[in-house]
Amino acid sequence: MPNYRWGIIGPGHIAENFCQQFPAGQTLYGVASAHSPEKGQAFAQKFQIPHVYADHAALLADPAIDVVYIATTNNVHFENIRAALLAGKHVLAEKPVTLNTAQLRTLMALADQRHLILMEAQTIYHMPLYDELAAQVRQRQLGRLRSLHASFGLHTLPDNPTGRLLNPQLGGGGLLDMGIYALSFARRLMTAAPQLEKTVMVPTATGVDDISATVIANAHHELGTFTFNLVPNAPEIGYAVYDRGYFIVDHYLRPEQAIFVDGATEEQSVIRAGHTDQAMGYEVTAMGHAIATGENPTQAWTLDTMTLMTAMRAAWGLKYPEERD
């Protein structure tokens, strides 16, 4: 795989994690902050990134940069990605890649027209454990996937309504920031695209989703149930039930192991693959392979999950300011 030169837009906390896990064989080349050149300078110094740009446009204008990692807030992903694609850059964008399906389809079409890769930085799509679970299904002859369940909760402080997670202006809410992991977990294991069957939601005082429960299904009769909590905490556990046994995946966002329970004997075994502290590095490696081959194996999963989330918010009546304009 070639050594690609990476530019970073949005040098915040998530981008720090990204740089800490950035793999050898790829190059962190430049960084830009839209609001604070000083922030970009400090970030570059911390991670020994050689080039700092005055703004996003200057970074995107540099022909030396091959691919851009976007880690800005949800509400500006669409415009940031569009600008990068128009500048001829491949894009790895933090989840959720866009606010809704219409935005995503627009960007996918633009990327296709320009022969560029647009990939979502969704750890679940790239953790080696999920490939290993698929292999275990075949080796153990577990039969059909029957049902999935995943929960997620984050103890968001309710007295900070302007914070990213509670602020509708920034595309906040439990679904786009945390529920997306549970739905991506389901899509990663399902054998066909899911559709929304039922969903209910309780909003926060700011109007974004706090607590929700959702049921999905697909043409292969695989069912999924999900519960999300924004303000109260909740366990991060996923279950995948097959004809002849089931998997329990604790901390399924970036897992390195799962427990398999045999359906007949109830015997348990531990399945291991990958490393949690390399999760974002796996995303970089996957992006590099996609650029080299011209094929994005995760694109359909991203589209199916975004379509599901868009349908859920439509059922809730939750629109963000950018969607109302």
Side-chain angles (χ1 to χ4, degrees):
M1 182 175 68
N3 184 339
Y4 296 108
R5 294 180 293 265
W6 290 68
I8 295 176
I9 286 178
H13 175 68
I14 298 299
E16 287 194 5
N17 291 342
F18 179 82
C19 291
Q20 288 165 355
Q21 299 178 23
F22 197 82
Q26 298 292 295
T27 300
L28 286 172
Y29 186 86
V31 61
S33 171
H35 307 294
S36 172
E38 295 78 14
K39 184 176 181 181
Q41 188 67 50
F43 190 94
Q45 185 174 3
K46 182 174 182 178
F47 295 104
Q48 299 181 320
I49 299 174
H51 301 278
V52 183
Y53 302 86
D55 52 31
H56 293 176
L59 182 150
L60 296 177
D62 189 342
I65 291 178
D66 303 305
V67 53
V68 176
Y69 169 65
I70 293 175
T72 49
T73 53
N74 298 343
N75 59 308
V76 293
H77 280 187
F78 176 80
E79 61 185 70
N80 291 159
I81 295 169
R82 183 175 182 273
L85 293 174
L86 289 173
K89 311 300 184 186
H90 302 284
V91 177
L92 177 68
E94 267 305 322
K95 58 81 199 165
V97 62
T98 56
L99 290 179
N100 57 50
T101 308
Q103 288 184 346
L104 178 56
R105 287 190 180 279
T106 297
L107 295 178
M108 286 172 55
L110 179 59
D112 185 61
Q113 290 167 7
R114 292 174 172 260
H115 306 289
L116 297 168
I117 296 296
L118 168 59
M119 181 178 284
E120 183 176 45
Q122 171 55 267
T123 54
I124 287 171
Y125 295 158
H126 306 291
M127 292 300 294
L129 181 68
Y130 288 105
D131 285 333
E132 180 59 28
L133 293 185
Q136 290 288 324
V137 170
R138 295 188 296 269
Q139 292 170 14
R140 296 174 184 264
Q141 297 182 331
L142 296 184
R144 291 174 46 212
L145 175 64
R146 294 293 188 151
S147 65
L148 298 135
H149 176 73
S151 60
F152 200 124
L154 186 66
H155 185 57
T156 303
L157 297 177
D159 57 353
N160 183 21
T162 61
R164 179 178 64 86
L165 292 173
L166 291 171
N167 192 341
Q169 300 288 337
L170 300 179
L175 177 61
L176 293 191
D177 264 279
M178 297 173 304
I180 186 174
Y181 285 112
L183 298 174
S184 297
F185 168 80
R187 186 62 194 97
R188 182 68 176 83
L189 297 175
M190 281 181 153
T191 60
Q195 288 81 42
L196 178 64
E197 297 294 328
K198 182 70 174 180
T199 186
V200 292
M201 182 271 283
V202 178
T204 66
T206 61
V208 299
D209 58 296
D210 176 8
I211 303 173
S212 65
T214 299
V215 179
I216 66 173
N218 65 15
H220 296 169
H221 305 295
E222 300 165 348
L223 302 181
T225 59
F226 308 93
T227 54
F228 309 141
N229 301 270
L230 179 58
V231 175
N233 210 339
E236 182 196 318
I237 302 176
Y239 301 89
V241 181
Y242 292 80
D243 287 331
R244 301 179 185 89
Y246 60 91
F247 299 109
I248 305 171
V249 188
D250 197 4
H251 300 292
Y252 60 84
L253 275 68
R254 302 178 179 186
E256 56 186 42
Q257 70 174 43
I259 296 173
F260 173 69
V261 181
D262 187 278
T265 66
E266 296 190 359
E267 180 182 351
Q268 297 186 9
S269 55
V270 178
I271 299 163
R272 294 184 175 89
H275 300 280
T276 296
D277 60 4
Q278 296 177 27
M280 301 181 87
Y282 296 133
E283 295 175 342
V284 174
T285 300
M287 184 66 178
H289 283 302
I291 295 171
T293 62
E295 297 181 0
N296 180 357
T298 69
Q299 180 172 271
W301 296 336
T302 292
L303 178 60
D304 291 345
T305 302
M306 180 59 65
T307 300
L308 201 55
M309 294 193 298
T310 301
M312 289 169 66
R313 288 199 298 111
W316 299 342
L318 173 57
K319 283 189 175 183
Y320 295 111
E322 288 84 352
E323 296 173 308
R324 292 193 291 265
D325 291 342

